[in-house]
Amino acid sequence: MSDILTPNFGESVTSATVAAWHKNAGDPVAKGDTLVTLETDKVSTDLEADESGVLEILVPEGAEAPIGAVLGRISPLTEVPPHRPPYHWKRGRNPLPVPPHL
């Protein structure tokens, strides 16, 4: 599991606003994917995933987070988020199980 932290932007910056999440909670992410855009009064920056997994969002868009705060987490792909449906449905066919990495 990997935490997504508000980075230190410099001495005079004490917090950042979550401007936009580029993925939804529960989405699979790959290392290097852009996850979130943060804004301060001096800078706007994108944070990328440092590993592959499933995104958990802890701080919503529009909220302000102090430097070092955990904005979200990336869990291993082997952990299926609880809100994911257990089956894919196809018209006229029986349901097919979803592999745990989807």
Side-chain angles (χ1 to χ4, degrees):
M1 183 178 308
S2 173
D3 289 340
I4 304 161
L5 304 174
T6 309
N8 187 349
F9 295 102
E11 289 180 21
S12 63
V13 179
T14 59
S15 65
T17 300
V18 177
W21 282 98
H22 300 285
K23 301 278 187 176
N24 295 312
D27 282 354
V29 298
K31 183 175 181 176
D33 283 354
T34 300
L35 299 178
V36 62
T37 300
L38 300 177
E39 294 180 345
T40 71
D41 56 343
K42 299 182 180 195
V43 68
S44 177
T45 190
D46 292 331
L47 299 183
E48 296 180 348
D50 59 358
E51 64 181 57
S52 296
V54 178
L55 179 63
E56 177 185 0
I57 295 174
L58 301 176
V59 178
E61 286 184 7
E64 190 171 334
I67 301 306
V70 179
L71 302 171
R73 290 190 175 94
I74 300 173
S75 300
L77 285 173
T78 55
E79 296 177 16
V80 178
H83 70 279
R84 295 268 186 189
Y87 300 101
H88 284 295
W89 289 91
K90 295 196 176 212
R91 190 180 315 161
R93 297 186 182 178
N94 291 330
L96 301 172
V98 175
H101 64 278
L102 293 180

